[in-house]
């Protein structure tokens, strides 16, 4: 059966106190909306429709950046969740199959849970709602059900005290055949405490039309929504806790897991060791047997087998480390390929560069890649030895097995096997140090 995904993302999220639409706030470096889209993508939907409103242009940009096939429709006035879903109707013209509604501010619904809902539909349920046992039911809609047979949903604002005592609550995720979903939505009115078109009303309407409605349940943690900055921090913490566990379950050693921050797409191979206080930005892959030592920051980079990075290293986008590379303390690497076995161990900046196999980059080396307007490349050959404190003024090439003298400012290409000396020649003046100091001390006495 074909699936269409409808993600509601029109709300402002006023409690975030933000100029940014709520669904674009990030957990693990991905917008909340993208987390919801990723959860839905596990169902391999034929169509994905995002209902945007507040900050619609920014929401559209983020949605289509993640999935160019996603269709973004606009809900210009936020008249309620049923009204929001109705905006997806035109985008789903001609679609036959099930529609599943997710919220853009609810990032952690698991694929297994969505599968269970699809399973309930296959078993013949007309409308399937995802519910959970709420520790504090508060403002959630209450599911009036017997076992898994759902009768109706009542919003907290409209509930009697008896109904408020129900702890089985509505997550907001709903699944039904698309044409039936839109038929039911057509019948939804706004005669309620909020004066809104409630999506939740479709359950009572379905039952009145003798259709069956079922509730599928999941742990409350999955339905965690984000309304405030505190919720956002809690969502981040929940994500990180799961990511750390998953990393260890998949064979990585985390010596102090609670201090490591992952991104939504961090990939770790087997027997990787991550020391304390390592931060992963988006787009990082660490291959097996690599070690990331303490206090390192990595983003948009690829670290191959057996590399050792850190402590205190920074790998920026485009850093590509071949096998067995060593990157040491206070070294920054950006848009640079470092070939097998090369070493950059101390206090260096290597950007827009290619470092040959087994090359040794001495302490304090800098690729001077930026002239204030353009970026230029530095190429260093295999087995080259770059002396400490070499300034490589790009564009520049240092050949294989070449050597640069410490403190050199290298502005011209160095041929293979050559020694480049680019610094003032040393001159020693006999006895001058002692004479100079004596003069200064005498001057101090005379004051
Ligand atoms: C909704 C449910 C409630 C459920 C709760 C779970 C309804 C009527 N109520 O309540 O039963 O327990 O979610 O969190 O559905 N949105 C739009 N356009 C609108 C209104 C909402 O896009 O016109 C989006 C919001 O941006 C949000 C989602 O729909 O992502 C839910 O809306 P929200 O206002 O948070 O609904 P709740 O009152 O929390
Ligand atoms: Mg809400």
């Amino acid at each position: 059966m074909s699936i269409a995904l409808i993600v509601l993302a029109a709300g402002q999220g006023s409690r975030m106190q933000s100029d940014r639409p709520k669904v674009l706030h990030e957990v693990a470096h991905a917008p909340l909306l993208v987390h919801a889209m990723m959860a839905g993508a596990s169902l391999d939907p034929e169509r994905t429709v995002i209902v945007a409103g507040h900050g619609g242009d920014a929401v559209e940009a983020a949605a289509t950046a993640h999935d160019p096939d996603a269709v973004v429709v606009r809900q210009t006035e936020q008249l309620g969740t049923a009204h929001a879903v109705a905006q997806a109707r035109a985008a789903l013209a001609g679609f036959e199959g099930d529609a599943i509604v997710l919220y853009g501010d609810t990032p952690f619904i698991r694929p297994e849970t969505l599968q269970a809902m699809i399973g309930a539909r296959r078993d013949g349920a007309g409308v399937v709602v995802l519910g959970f046992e709420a520790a504090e039911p508060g403002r959630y809609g209450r599911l009036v059900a017997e076992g898994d047979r759902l009768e109706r949903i009542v919003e907290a604002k409209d509930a009697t005290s008896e109904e408020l005592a129900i702890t089985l609550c509505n997550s907001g995720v709903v699944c039904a055949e698309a044409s039936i979903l839109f038929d039911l939505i057509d019948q939804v009115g706004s005669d309620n405490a909020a004066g809104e078109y409630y999506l939740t009303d479709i359950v009572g309407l379905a039952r009145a039309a003798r259709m069956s409605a079922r509730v599928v349940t999941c742990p409350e943690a999955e339905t965690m929504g984000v309304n405030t900055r505190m919720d956002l921090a809690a969502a981040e913490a929940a994500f990180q806790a799961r990511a750390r566990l998953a990393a260890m379950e998949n064979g990585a050693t985390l010596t102090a897991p609670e201090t490591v921050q992952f991104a939504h797409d961090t990939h770790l191979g087997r027997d990787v060791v991550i020391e304390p206080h390592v931060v992963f930005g988006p787009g990082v892959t660490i291959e097996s047997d690599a070690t990331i030592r303490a206090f390192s920051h990595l983003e948009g980079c690829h670290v191959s087998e057996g590399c050792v990075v850190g402590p205190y290293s920074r790998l920026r986008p485009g850093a590509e480390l071949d096998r067995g590379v060593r990157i040491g303390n206070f070294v920054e690497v950006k848009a640079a390929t470092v070939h097998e076995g090369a070493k950059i161990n101390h206090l260096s900046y290597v950007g827009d560069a290619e470092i040959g196999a087994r090359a040794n980059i001495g302490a304090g080396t800098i690729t001077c890649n930026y002239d204030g307007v353009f970026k230029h490349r530095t190429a260093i050959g295999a087995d080259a030895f770059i002396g400490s404190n070499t300034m490589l003024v790009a564009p520049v090439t240092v050949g294989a097995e070449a050597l640069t003298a410490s403190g050199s400012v290298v502005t011209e290409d160095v041929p293979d096997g050559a020694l480049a000396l680019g610094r003032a020649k040393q001159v020693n003046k006999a006895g001058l140090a002692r004479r100079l100091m004596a003069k200064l001390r005498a001057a101090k006495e005379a004051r």
Side-chain angles (χ1 to χ4, degrees):
M1 199 193 310
S2 305
I3 308 275
L5 201 64
I6 302 172
V7 186
L8 304 190
Q12 179 178 22
S14 49
R15 285 189 282 156
M16 294 296 282
Q17 301 293 356
S18 176
D19 294 333
R20 209 196 284 192
K22 175 166 76 175
V23 295
L24 297 189
H25 284 269
E26 294 188 347
V27 164
H29 296 279
L32 293 170
L33 174 64
V34 169
H35 284 275
M37 290 172 75
M38 289 190 290
S42 67
L43 296 173
D44 194 18
E46 188 181 304
R47 296 194 205 179
T48 296
V49 183
I50 313 294
V51 181
H54 284 279
D57 291 343
V59 169
E60 177 160 357
T64 52
H66 175 69
D67 175 4
D69 294 330
V71 175
V72 180
V73 299
R74 302 301 174 104
Q75 184 195 28
T76 44
E77 267 186 299
Q78 279 67 60
L79 303 180
T81 44
H83 180 259
V85 173
Q87 310 311 306
R89 185 194 304 261
L92 292 181
F95 170 80
E96 281 179 29
D98 275 4
I100 188 154
V101 179
L102 298 179
Y103 289 173
D105 62 358
T106 306
F108 298 142
I109 310 281
R110 287 184 314 148
E112 295 87 326
T113 299
L114 297 179
Q115 288 295 352
M117 293 182 71
I118 299 297
R121 275 279 301 130
R122 299 244 161 86
D123 293 345
V127 174
V128 181
V129 171
L130 181 63
F132 64 101
E133 281 295 335
E136 285 172 46
R139 310 207 289 199
Y140 289 119
R142 305 299 204 271
L143 300 186
V144 181
E146 255 182 57
D148 67 352
R149 285 194 320 217
L150 191 55
E151 280 307 320
R152 59 198 168 83
I153 305 178
V154 58
E155 287 304 295
K157 280 182 186 165
D158 302 283
T160 63
S161 56
E162 238 170 36
E163 288 164 339
L164 283 175
I166 297 173
T167 53
L168 182 62
C169 288
N170 176 30
S171 70
V173 183
V174 173
C175 181
E177 201 208 308
S179 61
I180 289 178
L181 177 69
F182 290 119
D183 284 351
L184 291 169
I185 280 173
D186 278 341
Q187 301 168 47
V188 170
S190 60
D191 183 15
N192 52 50
E196 284 183 7
Y197 295 89
Y198 292 161
L199 179 60
T200 45
D201 283 355
I202 66 168
V203 172
L205 290 165
R207 293 295 297 128
R210 302 193 159 277
M211 253 182 268
S212 63
R214 288 260 300 277
V215 53
V216 163
T217 55
C218 71
E220 181 164 14
E222 278 185 57
T223 69
M224 175 183 225
V226 173
N227 294 303
T228 63
R229 304 272 181 171
M230 287 68 83
D231 291 346
L232 189 66
E236 182 73 45
F239 178 93
Q240 294 300 337
R242 274 198 303 274
R244 290 164 191 149
L245 271 184
M248 292 187 281
E249 277 165 7
N250 291 326
T253 292
L254 273 51
T255 47
E258 66 286 355
T259 67
V260 176
Q261 292 287 115
F262 288 105
H264 66 100
D265 59 354
T266 307
H267 180 83
L268 303 183
R270 272 167 95 83
D271 294 312
V272 159
V273 176
I274 310 292
E275 289 189 356
H277 297 285
V278 171
V279 176
F280 292 98
V284 176
T285 296
I286 312 289
E287 307 271 10
S288 38
D289 290 310
T291 296
I292 311 300
R293 304 198 60 197
F295 300 103
S296 294
H297 189 287
L298 297 84
E299 64 182 311
C301 63
H302 177 221
V303 175
S304 300
E305 249 179 87
C307 289
V308 180
V309 173
Y312 299 99
S313 297
R314 179 164 184 213
L315 299 185
R316 291 175 51 207
E320 168 75 40
L321 310 188
D322 210 340
R323 295 153 70 104
V325 161
R326 296 276 190 278
I327 304 293
N329 43 275
F330 306 106
V331 170
E332 174 180 344
V333 180
K334 182 215 77 170
T337 299
V338 185
H339 289 281
E340 190 164 352
K343 293 179 187 164
I344 315 173
N345 272 333
H346 334 268
L347 301 159
S348 290
Y349 170 66
V350 172
D352 302 308
E354 174 130 15
I355 309 295
R358 299 169 304 280
N360 190 314
I361 309 299
T365 295
I366 291 174
T367 55
C368 310
N369 61 330
Y370 187 45
D371 58 17
V373 179
F374 296 106
K375 297 277 173 73
H376 302 283
R377 295 194 62 81
T378 300
I380 293 174
D383 299 297
F385 187 97
I386 305 300
S388 296
N389 201 36
T390 296
M391 299 296 116
L392 297 157
V393 183
V396 72
T397 298
V398 176
E401 295 174 62
L403 219 149
T404 70
S406 300
S408 290
V409 178
V410 177
T411 56
E412 282 168 36
D413 289 353
V414 182
D416 288 356
L419 165 65
L421 278 151
R423 63 188 188 203
K425 195 169 165 58
Q426 183 172 332
V427 181
N428 293 338
K429 306 266 185 186
L432 185 55
R434 281 200 197 106
R435 289 204 302 277
L436 193 62
M437 290 310 287
K439 197 173 153 190
L440 289 171
R441 285 192 196 103
K444 192 177 179 190
E445 291 284 296
R447 283 206 172 175

